[in-house]
Amino acid sequence: MTDRYNIHSQLEHLQSKYIGTGHADTSKWEWLVNQHRDSYCSYMGHFDLLNYFSVAENETKARVRFNLMEKMLQPCGPPADKPDDA
């Protein structure tokens, strides 16, 4: 019993500390936004991936980095309207 409580409290702590880990009320849209933003950050942080994208797109590295930053604002489009609970 104590192991289950301990694991549950550790999971809650992890979810409160890191946004991308999600929680019980995380919507599909929020989860996808976190995934896309994490991917874009990884692409910008790895120099070789940035070089690969710049060669593949025939753009400068600065332009590719700028485009990735622009995509991070709303990577999955605007959020869906939440239904009103009446």
Side-chain angles (χ1 to χ4, degrees):
M1 182 70 178
T2 58
D3 290 337
R4 188 182 318 159
Y5 176 73
N6 190 19
I7 291 170
H8 184 66
S9 65
Q10 288 176 356
L11 185 61
E12 284 182 349
H13 176 70
L14 182 71
Q15 290 170 342
S16 67
K17 189 173 181 182
Y18 300 107
I19 295 171
T21 56
H23 50 78
D25 297 328
T26 302
S27 68
K28 180 179 178 181
W29 182 83
E30 290 172 334
W31 184 80
L32 283 173
V33 165
N34 286 332
Q35 291 295 315
H36 282 260
R37 286 183 178 157
D38 286 346
S39 296
Y40 294 148
C41 285
S42 177
Y43 300 155
M44 287 189 295
H46 291 89
F47 187 71
D48 292 332
L49 271 175
L50 198 62
N51 283 338
Y52 176 77
F53 289 146
S54 65
V55 169
E57 295 177 5
N58 197 22
E59 293 282 350
T60 63
K61 287 181 276 186
R63 173 57 64 182
V64 171
R65 183 177 282 122
F66 176 77
N67 289 340
L68 290 173
M69 291 284 281
E70 287 288 315
K71 288 180 185 178
M72 286 177 67
L73 292 176
Q74 282 190 336
C76 298
D81 294 333
K82 293 183 179 178
D84 293 334
D85 293 333

